[in-house]
Amino acid sequence: MAAFKRILSRGFHPRWCPPLLHYPASILNPLAMRPIKALISSAALRHNLGVVRRCAPHSQVFGVVKANAYGHGLALAARALEAADGLALLEIDAAVRLRASGYARRIALLEGLFDPTELPVAAQCDLTIAVHNAEQLKMLDAAPAGARLDVMLKVNTGMNRLGFAPAAALKARDSLLAHRAVGQLTLMTHFATADDARGVAWQMEVFDSIAAGQRLARSVANSAAVLRFPQTHADWVRPGIMLYGCTPFADISAAELGLMPAMTLASEIIAVQDLRPGARIGYAGAFEATQPLRAGVVACGYADGYPRHAPTGTPVLVGGIRTRTLGRVSMDLLTVDLTGMPGARVGTPVVLWGDGLSADEVALAAGTVSYELMCAVAPRVPVIEV
Ligand SMILES: *Cc1c(COP(=O)(O)O)cnc(C)c1O
């Protein structure tokens, strides 16, 4: 037992782990680490905001920055989107950090408050809060004396996730209008099918019946509605995915919409294997070479946020040339086909998605959407503004 303890303590002895000061600076520099990086283009974010402005010239814009700005980094996105009229997100801690960093425009909490203890924080930080159910409506009664919060009343027009059903929404509207703690009131709803053939008319009909005859501000349009349905633009649009340069539609690409990818997930080849026919790659040997094949091993895996479900054939760029993944994606590595790329070697740059290869296309191959790919980029991947 004593020997065991000695071995254990030896393992953690400071001798084996000098203080950080003793390491060369390059070790602590994210640029010099494992080659995977998420490169974020603030120019692309600004450009895409410009596309929103051109589509909805008469509306104010909430840039939707929930989920760490869809994986792009909240602080970076907030700077790049400084020309937006406000930012919308769900996480109150992130909203507080935005305020603390000096962000002075409107900040909306799209799911409102989860607990009455958040009320004084929301009031102090001048957050606009969604109210989507009776519990949240009741919470407002606990607002500190003198506090006034801008409220977005969420109407359930058919998505059936959050929001008051139409009759209840009318009652909620009236109690909010009369409430001592409520400043400006905005009516909002969210579309379930703005990106497909069912469109928005069926939900707009319900929404208009609530909004009719009122001078209240309205906010309904997500990216799909910004791009396709001008009649939904109203006072405040709420684009997310289009700001990041991806398409909300299955049938129109981001490039066709004039959007630029804001995130490039980039890495490098870190090993090359020459395979003979019959050789298999990776876990479960899920890919088998049928002819001699050069395979490149890329420093990127599902622990970086690359989808494990991406099958053999998922597109990838190696040295700017389009090729395909081979076999299973593992935690830290994936393999690519280097056939016809004699120049590819250790150190050759790889783009998993972004510049030159849309995240939408990779998502389609992996059975998901670009939203999920970008949000899933893992904390261990350095996010670098370019
Ligand atoms: C996420 C979200 C949006 C943005 O949707 P996109 O499809 O990314 O444009 C807008 N409104 C609400 C309420 C949201 O939660």
Side-chain angles (χ1 to χ4, degrees):
M1 193 59 200
F4 181 62
K5 273 194 179 147
R6 230 178 7 256
I7 289 166
L8 258 187
S9 71
R10 199 193 299 153
F12 294 96
H13 194 277
R15 193 155 69 91
W16 303 109
C17 182
L20 288 178
L21 280 174
H22 295 228
Y23 288 101
S26 61
I27 297 263
L28 303 175
N29 173 1
L31 286 166
M33 285 161 40
R34 198 166 157 261
I36 188 161
K37 296 156 205 124
L39 308 172
I40 309 298
S41 163
S42 39
L45 289 165
R46 284 194 299 273
H47 167 88
N48 297 332
L49 178 59
V51 176
V52 174
R53 291 281 188 209
R54 279 197 296 285
C55 288
H58 307 297
S59 305
Q60 305 209 70
V61 178
F62 272 129
V64 178
V65 293
K66 60 191 177 188
N68 195 29
Y70 291 43
H72 292 63
L74 178 63
L76 194 165
R79 273 196 308 279
L81 299 174
E82 64 179 356
D85 303 289
L87 297 174
L89 72 181
L90 323 176
E91 306 87 352
I92 195 168
D93 58 322
V96 168
R97 267 185 283 125
L98 268 179
R99 274 290 181 252
S101 74
Y103 188 80
R105 298 194 176 183
R106 207 166 182 203
I107 301 177
L109 291 180
L110 293 171
E111 289 181 359
L113 305 181
F114 297 88
D115 189 273
T117 56
E118 296 169 342
L119 252 176
V121 179
Q124 196 169 9
C125 293
D126 192 19
L127 307 181
T128 296
I129 57 171
V131 168
H132 68 75
N133 64 17
E135 289 72 16
Q136 288 184 330
L137 192 57
K138 190 93 186 57
M139 266 184 218
L140 285 170
D141 297 342
R148 278 173 91 74
L149 288 116
D150 288 348
V151 169
M152 299 174 87
L153 171 61
K154 186 148 188 183
V155 185
N156 173 13
T157 55
M159 172 77 108
N160 292 317
R161 297 187 314 185
L162 304 182
F164 292 86
L170 287 172
K171 283 201 192 128
R173 180 194 68 193
D174 293 339
S175 40
L176 287 166
L177 283 171
H179 202 288
R180 64 169 170 92
V182 176
Q184 196 195 324
L185 183 62
T186 303
L187 296 177
M188 79 179 286
T189 193
H190 194 50
F191 294 127
T193 57
D195 56 325
D196 70 32
R198 281 163 289 182
V200 296
W202 63 281
Q203 285 185 264
M204 277 309 274
E205 201 175 310
V206 179
F207 186 75
D208 287 341
S209 73
I210 306 293
Q214 297 284 324
R215 310 277 296 269
L216 297 172
R218 291 166 303 144
S219 173
V220 293
N222 57 3
S223 295
V226 165
L227 289 160
R228 215 169 242 179
F229 300 108
Q231 70 274 28
T232 66
H233 291 171
D235 300 278
W236 286 82
V237 292
R238 304 190 309 267
I241 195 72
M242 68 181 291
L243 291 174
Y244 305 103
C246 291
T247 179
F249 305 117
D251 56 343
I252 308 178
S253 71
E256 288 169 309
L257 295 167
L259 300 169
M260 286 168 60
M263 174 193 289
T264 295
L265 186 65
S267 189
E268 290 176 8
I269 304 263
I270 61 166
V272 174
Q273 301 291 344
D274 286 301
L275 305 181
R276 282 189 258 174
R280 291 169 172 271
I281 294 174
Y283 288 117
F287 176 83
E288 181 179 349
T290 54
Q291 52 195 0
L293 186 149
R294 265 181 99 228
V297 182
V298 180
C300 175
Y302 60 77
D304 299 300
Y306 194 90
R308 185 175 174 279
H309 287 110
T312 290
T314 301
V316 56
L317 296 182
V318 176
I321 298 169
R322 196 183 164 100
T323 180
R324 58 177 184 145
T325 63
L326 300 174
R328 280 225 183 128
V329 173
S330 49
M331 186 183 277
D332 314 300
L333 298 168
L334 59 80
T335 305
V336 297
D337 189 347
L338 300 181
T339 302
M341 300 184 188
R345 53 181 178 78
V346 170
T348 298
V350 173
V351 169
L352 287 315
W353 63 72
D355 205 5
L357 174 63
S358 171
D360 296 311
E361 230 189 298
V362 177
L364 183 67
T368 183
V369 287
S370 55
Y371 297 73
E372 188 182 9
L373 295 189
M374 298 190 296
C375 292
V377 171
R380 79 175 184 183
V381 176
V383 176
I384 295 163
E385 187 168 6
V386 293

